[in-house]
Amino acid sequence: MPFANKVKLQDGNLGVVECGLVVKHEDQAIGIPLTHVAAEIDITFCAAEVKLTQTYLNNSPDPLNCVYFFPTETSVALHKFTATIGDRKLSGVVKEKEVAREEFSDAVSQGKTAFLLEQLKPDIMELMVGNLGSNETCQIEICYIQELPFQDLLTRFTLPTSIAPRYIPASDPDPVVGLMNMQYTGDVPLSIGFQIKMRSEIKNITSPSHKVEVTQHSEEGWFCAGGTLEDFTSLLDRDFVLTLECDDPLLPVVLYENTEQGEVALMMSFIPETHAKDRLCEFVFIVDCSGSMNGDRISKAREAMRVFIQSLPEDCYFNIIRFGSSYEVLTSKSVPYNDETLTKAKDYIEKSVHADLGGTEILDPLKTVLGWKYEKGYERQILILTDGAVSNTENVIKTIKNRSNKDKCRVFSLGIGDGVSRELVTGMAEAGDGIQLFCTSNEPMREKVIRMLSCACSNRSEISCVEMEGQESITPPVPVTLFTGEKTILYTLTPTLPAEITVHCSGSKHTVTSGNFVQVHSGKMPKLVAHKVATGGVVSEGRGVELALNYQVVTKETSFVCVDGDVTTTANMLPKSNMWDDEMEMQMMSLQACGLNGGGHQLRSMPKKSMGFGLPSFGGLFSRKKKAKIHTPTLRCARRVELLHVEDTSDGNNDPASAPPGGSDLMKILLEKQNRRSGAGSSLTKKRMEKRGFSRRTLSPGVGEGGSLEAGEDEPGDQLTKLMDLADTKGRFTDLAKIRAVFKLGELTAASNFAEDIVATVLALVLLEIKFGVQRDVWYRFAGKSEKWLDGKISKEELKNLKDEMKNFVSSF
């Protein structure tokens, strides 16, 4: 898969190299012509296999040694690699990394064509090609499997098409060693096709990134669909994103498959609904204001900060740090959230959150925040908004992982734009026991902001034990935090199939019986399970390598290698003597590749040490209470935290009238939203709502429909943002005239018996319902504060009558 290389320089500017397979020759990077690109995607419930096929032509008179990189989601199971040269098809074999490197090096020195495929970082793969013959065509096929995140009751698939620029901080010991020009340019056709199999009826398939054509059908026990890009394209400047809406998104399922190794591979998927209360919090926002944030990204960051700051709970502390090559803080220490500090923060966001601080040096502000003294009784929540990647990713993640007072500090990360480093954004959140979210260029920001804030406000709900009938119980060695509405997937390799699996959580449990066990015959699912177990830290490193070799998957300790027996004239750029020296690694690691088309402008090399190639540790891993026997299963929990959660009850107050909506209310809001998306709503979803004690809300005419904002309308300064900006920290509105001006409403002559702030607040609540009903999950926390303020100032009967009056007033315009 060829990519457009993007390089961020120390001054924050970008140089672009749009190439895939390249060779370094006489201090220049030469692109190998690309003739075709194809991606085939096979989605089965909560996992997807991706097959990437690229065809290259070496039209030079000499054999060449080449290298290219391609992005993936973090920690995919890369399980197949083939290379076809002319009529010769070579299949890769997974071997221990050093063994594979030696075999590749020996083959190249002997003039043989050889390939080496390795995991460079959790979200970046590297392919080296030795002795690609003159005038030879090479077709490369790579297959990997990934788990799918679950967001807003939608299953989400992402095909990354870019690798974020790696900024090298000035404090790094290794300087930039130079720039090289690249002459090759060109565009090639790209095709993407996808097949989908789900356990419940597929209600809708959409792509916020591209136009797609979709057809649906059914197979025994499965609901299926397929599709393609509407047209071929030669430019893919953004990730390909697909969202799937199913009839019963809350269905717990166990997928299992018998393996050739005599084991059973299991994936248990369930969506918890926790009942943890909110806690008192200090919120620290770390906002990327580097040069690469310029344009839409910094606008989205300001939009996010406006919603964040307006939706904070009443009793909290907060602070804002913006960073680039340097950093600055709103205040020297976090301050209480009140009307004065809110006004100061909003002014700071408008005047200071701009892309004017150069490079992306996140480590220093992060260390500063982690070193601040804690406010007594308040847990620190660090929320990071960024678009890029840095060369010291490993140090950033390690700093978060090794923070003190882990029970008082969590880290959440929001990746903005296309080409965001998934290793950085995901690694920070996983190390910080938080969640990560991604907002691409064509997606709305506000819903993601509220999900993240809701997670940050919530208390910890954890898995305490996992029981599989007839086998030993399993307990996590470290806390595994759960979030309402977030899909949690458990992986295990076990000698026998249990009849039932039960997950015990804080205050609840989730049981899946054999009736919801689904056998698959893909031959691929065991590879994903084995990869998760091998890389999850629940087995020894030796056992991890053994699993990777047995199941033929690439990890940080294993690589694909394949060698063509035919001898070609040896390329003179990569002699065996320096195949793995620092200079060669430096040049190979310099190509930060992304994109799906050939062509380009600039390239730079960078020192090996400056790249910070390391693996973050993954949270939510399981080990056994008792010493594991040879045939007992190993279980790993993989929590896709690009998902949503909220538990919102006031601290120490169980009165629902005085508290913002809680976790069950959020689940209700989401299910109602799904019903609106699906028209009348599905019977399965309604039954599941009734089982949870919910009744489907009937909307009055116009409520939740007129004026609702779709994905492309999430612009800074729109009506919803302007309305929320008019409230104080308690959700109280005081200026009727300003509200009327935002919505172009006429004079309001009635409701004279109530104070202006009461009338204005009720009018705002009515406008939220009528104009922005489909975005209830964006403003429900905010509205909860308003309703709490009204409680006691006006009776329920008076409130109902005043709401009816305001609805009639709004409808008259």
Side-chain angles (χ1 to χ4, degrees):
M1 189 170 179
F3 302 97
N5 297 279
K6 295 183 181 178
V7 175
K8 187 187 291 186
L9 310 183
Q10 285 186 331
D11 61 4
N13 294 322
L14 289 179
V16 179
V17 180
E18 297 179 349
C19 64
L21 201 59
V22 299
V23 59
K24 176 182 177 291
H25 181 57
E26 296 179 354
D27 294 327
Q28 288 192 352
I30 303 171
I32 308 303
L34 172 70
T35 61
H36 183 259
V37 185
E40 297 178 30
I41 303 157
D42 187 358
I43 297 173
T44 302
F45 192 57
C46 56
E49 182 188 40
V50 178
K51 182 171 76 172
L52 306 175
T53 305
Q54 316 88 37
T55 303
Y56 291 95
L57 171 65
N58 175 13
N59 57 7
S60 74
D62 301 308
L64 296 175
N65 292 313
C66 321
V67 60
Y68 87 95
F69 304 82
F70 64 94
T72 66
E73 288 281 14
T74 52
S75 301
V76 302
L78 200 158
H79 69 91
K80 182 180 179 182
F81 169 73
T82 63
T84 303
I85 305 172
D87 58 357
R88 309 188 306 279
K89 186 171 183 177
L90 312 177
S91 296
V93 178
V94 174
K95 298 185 178 182
E96 290 190 54
K97 179 167 287 187
E98 293 306 318
V99 174
R101 286 184 168 186
E102 184 67 23
E103 185 174 324
F104 173 78
S105 180
D106 288 343
V108 173
S109 66
Q110 297 169 21
K112 298 178 181 179
T113 300
F115 301 84
L116 181 69
L117 180 58
E118 297 186 340
Q119 174 185 290
L120 194 61
K121 299 170 75 68
D123 60 346
I124 303 175
M125 301 295 173
E126 174 193 44
L127 174 65
M128 297 177 62
V129 182
N131 291 322
L132 180 60
S134 174
N135 296 314
E136 280 195 322
T137 296
C138 176
Q139 184 183 82
I140 295 171
E141 182 181 302
I142 298 166
C143 297
Y144 63 84
I145 308 173
Q146 66 187 62
E147 62 191 49
L148 298 179
F150 187 76
Q151 178 178 308
D152 194 17
L153 298 185
L154 302 174
T155 299
R156 180 184 177 96
F157 169 82
T158 301
L159 177 66
T161 64
S162 58
I163 295 174
R166 261 48 176 181
Y167 173 80
I168 301 180
S171 58
D172 273 9
D174 296 298
V176 176
V177 297
L179 289 170
M180 294 175 289
N181 292 323
M182 183 165 181
Q183 305 301 322
Y184 172 71
T185 59
D187 294 334
V188 297
L190 162 72
S191 62
I192 294 180
F194 52 89
Q195 298 294 324
I196 302 167
K197 294 175 67 175
M198 305 299 284
R199 289 299 297 167
S200 60
E201 183 181 355
I202 301 172
K203 306 297 292 185
N204 197 18
I205 300 172
T206 59
S207 173
S209 59
H210 296 80
K211 293 181 179 180
V212 295
E213 294 181 343
V214 179
T215 59
Q216 295 194 38
H217 62 283
S218 61
E219 297 177 7
E220 184 176 358
W222 295 92
F223 295 90
C224 306
T228 61
L229 285 182
E230 193 170 273
D231 296 299
F232 281 99
T233 179
S234 60
L235 297 173
L236 196 57
D237 56 355
R238 56 194 179 277
D239 296 344
F240 174 71
V241 179
L242 204 63
T243 59
L244 317 175
E245 178 187 353
C246 292
D247 192 46
D248 192 1
L250 306 180
L251 179 69
V253 170
V254 170
L255 299 181
Y256 71 94
E257 184 168 357
N258 297 321
T259 74
E260 295 179 356
Q261 290 75 12
E263 298 174 299
V264 180
L266 292 178
M267 291 174 59
M268 175 182 173
S269 170
F270 69 98
I271 300 174
E273 183 180 349
T274 66
H275 299 282
K277 295 182 179 180
D278 277 6
R279 60 176 56 189
L280 297 176
C281 294
E282 171 201 7
F283 300 94
V284 181
F285 301 95
I286 302 179
V287 186
D288 188 347
C289 289
S290 63
S292 64
M293 287 285 290
N294 192 38
D296 180 65
R297 296 184 179 193
I298 200 66
S299 295
K300 281 184 174 289
R302 281 196 299 271
E303 173 77 358
M305 286 305 304
R306 281 196 290 264
V307 178
F308 269 131
I309 210 71
Q310 201 69 55
S311 303
L312 291 177
E314 291 180 54
D315 186 1
C316 73
Y317 285 77
F318 78 98
N319 208 340
I320 302 172
I321 295 182
R322 73 183 196 108
F323 74 93
S325 298
S326 59
Y327 69 91
E328 62 183 46
V329 296
L330 172 63
T331 57
S332 59
K333 56 180 291 187
S334 294
V335 294
Y337 183 60
N338 55 43
D339 292 342
E340 180 183 352
T341 56
L342 173 62
T343 300
K344 183 178 180 180
K346 290 196 291 187
D347 185 62
Y348 181 80
I349 291 167
E350 293 305 314
K351 293 181 178 179
S352 299
V353 177
H354 297 281
D356 57 0
L357 287 182
T360 312
E361 299 194 30
I362 190 174
L363 190 56
D364 286 344
L366 182 61
K367 286 181 176 179
T368 297
V369 173
L370 291 174
W372 281 348
K373 182 180 178 180
Y374 287 86
E375 297 292 339
K376 187 175 181 180
Y378 290 78
E379 179 181 297
R380 180 168 296 152
Q381 314 294 331
I382 301 173
L383 297 91
I384 302 173
L385 288 71
T386 183
D387 77 319
V390 292
S391 64
N392 57 351
T393 298
E394 184 178 9
N395 289 337
V396 172
I397 294 171
K398 184 177 180 181
T399 297
I400 295 173
K401 182 180 179 182
N402 294 337
R403 69 195 185 282
S404 60
N405 297 315
K406 292 184 179 181
D407 60 330
K408 296 181 180 179
C409 178
R410 292 188 293 189
V411 178
F412 302 79
S413 54
L414 176 59
I416 301 175
D418 297 297
V420 176
S421 167
R422 280 163 161 72
E423 180 196 13
L424 178 71
V425 175
T426 301
M428 289 191 298
E430 290 184 339
D433 298 321
I435 69 162
Q436 84 271 7
L437 296 173
F438 295 89
C439 185
T440 59
S441 57
N442 291 332
E443 292 185 289
M445 173 65 79
R446 286 188 293 256
E447 294 178 3
K448 298 175 187 292
V449 166
I450 296 302
R451 289 189 193 102
M452 181 167 288
L453 181 60
S454 297
C455 292
C457 288
S458 68
N459 213 324
R460 299 176 187 268
S461 178
E462 300 169 351
I463 294 178
S464 57
C465 180
V466 179
E467 294 180 345
M468 293 190 289
E469 188 174 279
Q471 302 180 31
E472 298 179 37
S473 62
I474 303 170
T475 187
V478 294
V480 180
T481 305
L482 298 177
F483 297 107
T484 291
E486 175 188 349
K487 181 172 289 186
T488 299
I489 305 175
L490 306 180
Y491 296 91
T492 184
L493 291 169
T494 177
T496 58
L497 182 67
E500 178 176 287
I501 300 177
T502 300
V503 180
H504 294 270
C505 310
S506 305
S508 63
K509 67 178 182 179
H510 301 267
T511 299
V512 182
T513 59
S514 57
N516 283 327
F517 281 33
V518 181
Q519 185 174 12
V520 295
H521 304 278
S522 66
K524 301 165 187 174
M525 194 190 86
K527 296 180 180 293
L528 176 60
V529 176
H531 182 272
K532 293 295 182 183
V533 174
T535 61
V538 292
V539 295
S540 65
E541 183 172 308
R543 174 58 175 156
V545 171
E546 180 185 348
L547 279 170
L549 296 177
N550 286 343
Y551 285 88
Q552 287 289 284
V553 290
V554 170
T555 67
K556 64 179 181 179
E557 290 94 12
T558 60
S559 306
F560 263 119
V561 64
C562 64
V563 176
D564 187 0
D566 293 345
V567 176
T568 307
T569 303
T570 306
N572 59 14
M573 279 82 80
L574 295 176
K576 178 182 177 181
S577 61
N578 74 345
M579 181 66 68
W580 296 110
D581 65 16
D582 287 343
E583 179 182 1
M584 184 52 59
E585 290 242 1
M586 175 185 70
Q587 302 296 348
M588 289 181 175
M589 291 180 181
S590 71
L591 307 177
Q592 299 308 305
C594 59
L596 282 176
N597 60 299
H601 306 288
Q602 289 184 332
L603 174 71
R604 77 166 178 177
S605 57
M606 59 183 70
K608 177 181 177 182
K609 290 182 180 179
S610 71
M611 296 302 294
F613 292 116
L615 287 167
S617 60
F618 288 84
L621 310 181
F622 286 83
S623 65
R624 294 194 157 274
K625 286 182 178 178
K626 301 179 181 179
K627 185 176 180 180
K629 301 176 183 178
I630 294 178
H631 294 295
T632 54
T634 304
L635 183 66
R636 180 188 174 194
C637 168
R639 183 169 53 78
R640 294 299 299 188
V641 289
E642 191 180 334
L643 316 173
L644 71 91
H645 153 69
V646 30
E647 280 304 324
D648 302 315
T649 54
S650 295
D651 208 56
N653 189 341
N654 295 320
D655 181 6
S658 63
S664 295
D665 295 294
L666 175 63
M667 189 66 77
K668 176 181 178 180
I669 290 168
L670 293 173
L671 288 168
E672 289 174 343
K673 182 175 181 178
Q674 187 202 33
N675 282 343
R676 287 195 293 270
R677 283 194 301 240
S678 303
S682 68
S683 58
L684 279 174
T685 300
K686 286 187 284 187
K687 288 179 181 178
R688 191 163 292 276
M689 288 176 68
E690 291 167 1
K691 183 177 180 181
R692 291 172 178 258
F694 303 149
S695 61
R696 184 170 183 267
R697 184 170 62 91
T698 302
L699 301 178
S700 57
V703 175
E705 297 173 1
S708 64
L709 299 178
E710 301 301 331
E713 299 177 275
D714 193 38
E715 298 290 342
D718 66 15
Q719 289 182 323
L720 178 55
T721 302
K722 288 180 179 179
L723 177 63
M724 293 176 67
D725 278 344
L726 296 177
D728 63 15
T729 55
K730 294 180 172 60
R732 180 179 65 122
F733 291 79
T734 59
D735 196 325
L736 272 172
K738 288 184 178 180
I739 296 177
R740 291 191 291 105
V742 170
F743 294 92
K744 296 180 173 57
L745 301 175
E747 290 291 333
L748 180 62
T749 57
S752 58
N753 294 332
F754 300 102
E756 182 176 358
D757 56 357
I758 292 177
V759 177
T761 302
V762 173
L763 175 60
L765 289 174
V766 168
L767 285 166
L768 287 174
E769 278 207 6
I770 293 179
K771 297 290 186 179
F772 310 105
V774 295
Q775 292 182 298
R776 181 178 296 273
D777 48 339
V778 170
W779 50 259
Y780 78 95
R781 292 189 64 89
F782 172 83
K785 293 196 297 182
S786 300
E787 290 167 353
K788 181 180 178 181
W789 177 80
L790 285 169
D791 185 42
K793 294 179 174 59
I794 184 172
S795 69
K796 291 183 179 180
E797 184 64 25
E798 288 174 324
L799 178 60
K800 179 180 180 301
N801 293 335
L802 185 55
K803 279 189 174 183
D804 288 340
E805 184 178 342
M806 293 301 103
K807 287 178 182 179
N808 291 332
F809 170 68
V810 172
S811 299
S812 66
F813 295 92

